[in-house]
Amino acid sequence: MSAAPSKAPVSETLVDDLLKGAVDLHVHSGPSVMARLVDHIDALEQASSAGMRAVLFKDHYYPTAPIAEMLRARSKGGAEPLGGIVLNNALGGFNAYAVEHALKLGTKIVWMPTVSAANHIREGHNKKLLVAKSEMRRPTALSAVDEHGELKDEVKPILDLVAQHDAVLSCGHLHISEAWVLFEEAKRRGCKRLLVNHPPYTVGAAPKDIKRLLDLGVMIEHSACLYIDCRFKVYTPEQLKEWIDTAGVDNTFFGSDLGQTNCPSPVEGFRQIIKLCLSLGYTPDEVRRMVSTNATRLAGLGDNAPAAKTA
């Protein structure tokens, strides 16, 4: 089968059907210090209208579980709102107190540093894409490992909390060399839900790293915005297919990574990535697993079985 996407039109009815039950664990809605196309209410309403199962709000500067809990309490059905926490400077970096509070409010994902990660800053991503609406203090670079390559002591209580609450641990924008150390210690401490977001982007992973990630029980999330018609697009359909085929459909899922201005909405991002995957030859069942089933399993929204992996 050719890796090039088919030019045959994709049924909009099929796309609508595959959106039903979809889970987006990577929505950048507002309010935010960065310009946003939609706020959390908009994002939830749009997902509900499309029949999606759940959306998770991610902000680089504040925990979103309180917002998710407030929206859930007022919800009349539809998509479930979920919250997360990102351990950037604004929350004190590797702050176990902030993590404990967020988890007790129902946080589903704990991300290691993103915009404050030393790797992210070193690569200059703050100057390229993640630009605040007004001038921000220069970030203090955060790394999960010390000068000897060992996991820092302040990270370990966070891993214990993630394990205790059976939440998802993401390596954020740490470099893949840090992610190995993080995930190995996380697994030793009982963390069962491990995640790499957009592995080639910021993290610096390559397809050759997939087997080791899968052996550690790590799930692979690809950001739809990096592959669809969007100002963030940097990769080709052929590159996406290589990633999916290397990891396997059952270890792969999509987050929109959308909500920014001058971009498609998160729901439209999901529509586009569904169309792209179908055009690459993946069956409707395979696409459903990558936009719904796998994320549902990882976040513990349905089947709590461990993530699938291949040898």
Side-chain angles (χ1 to χ4, degrees):
M1 180 170 56
S2 172
S6 168
K7 294 182 180 179
V10 174
S11 164
E12 294 294 337
T13 301
L14 177 57
V15 175
D16 289 342
D17 180 63
L18 290 171
L19 268 175
K20 291 180 172 61
V23 173
D24 188 351
L25 298 180
H26 204 147
V27 175
H28 284 297
S29 44
S32 174
V33 296
M34 298 174 182
R36 296 300 185 224
L37 176 71
V38 291
D39 64 21
H40 304 313
I41 296 173
D42 294 329
L44 188 63
E45 289 178 345
Q46 291 173 15
S48 296
S49 294
M52 294 178 68
R53 167 71 176 80
V55 293
L56 192 145
F57 311 127
K58 178 181 182 183
D59 192 271
H60 295 291
Y61 298 97
Y62 65 86
T64 58
I67 292 166
E69 289 302 299
M70 182 176 65
L71 292 177
R72 182 180 292 108
R74 289 159 174 76
S75 174
K76 297 179 181 178
E80 181 180 0
L82 304 172
I85 184 171
V86 190
L87 302 184
N88 287 318
N89 297 153
L91 290 174
F94 302 115
N95 183 348
Y97 295 100
V99 172
E100 179 183 44
H101 180 264
L103 288 168
K104 288 187 174 181
L105 277 174
T107 282
K108 288 293 184 182
I109 300 182
V110 175
W111 283 275
M112 287 289 113
T114 55
V115 296
S116 301
N119 172 60
H120 179 105
I121 296 166
R122 188 166 52 244
E123 295 297 317
H125 291 292
N126 284 339
K127 296 178 181 178
K128 295 176 184 176
L129 296 175
L130 301 180
V131 181
K133 290 182 285 188
S134 60
E135 188 70 22
M136 302 282 289
R137 290 175 61 88
R138 288 176 59 89
T140 299
L142 298 173
S143 174
V145 300
D146 61 22
E147 63 272 19
H148 303 293
E150 301 291 331
L151 193 70
K152 291 180 176 177
D153 287 340
E154 57 262 41
V155 179
K156 296 173 184 177
I158 293 170
L159 303 185
D160 292 337
L161 286 164
V162 170
Q164 177 186 340
H165 290 267
D166 197 24
V168 178
L169 174 72
S170 168
C171 66
H173 293 186
L174 300 180
H175 189 264
I176 187 65
S177 60
E178 299 174 80
W180 299 133
V181 181
L182 174 76
F183 288 139
E184 286 167 359
E185 184 63 24
K187 191 172 181 181
R188 280 193 290 269
R189 289 174 178 266
C191 297
K192 296 181 176 65
R193 305 178 192 275
L194 306 177
L195 171 63
V196 168
N197 306 100
H198 45 63
Y201 184 75
T202 67
V203 176
K208 66 180 177 61
D209 297 314
I210 285 290
K211 184 179 185 303
R212 186 175 175 186
L213 288 168
L214 298 186
D215 286 344
L216 287 168
V218 180
M219 288 284 286
I220 312 298
E221 181 199 80
H222 293 292
S223 292
C225 68
L226 300 176
Y227 298 93
I228 64 171
D229 183 15
C230 176
R231 65 185 171 98
F232 295 120
K233 181 180 180 180
V234 290
Y235 301 117
T236 66
E238 292 77 13
Q239 288 172 303
L240 176 61
K241 190 171 191 308
E242 180 184 12
W243 276 103
I244 295 173
D245 290 349
T246 301
V249 165
D250 288 329
N251 301 299
T252 301
F253 71 95
F254 291 98
S256 68
D257 205 350
L258 287 167
Q260 308 88 343
T261 55
N262 302 316
C263 285
S265 69
V267 171
E268 175 58 26
F270 255 58
R271 292 189 67 86
Q272 287 195 38
I273 203 67
I274 287 170
K275 290 179 180 179
L276 177 57
C277 287
L278 290 169
S279 74
L280 286 171
Y282 296 104
T283 67
D285 176 68
E286 290 173 326
V287 174
R288 191 179 301 281
R289 280 139 66 189
M290 291 190 287
V291 299
S292 176
T293 311
N294 297 341
T296 296
R297 185 179 71 241
L298 176 69
L301 302 179
D303 181 4
N304 285 314
K309 69 175 184 178
T310 56

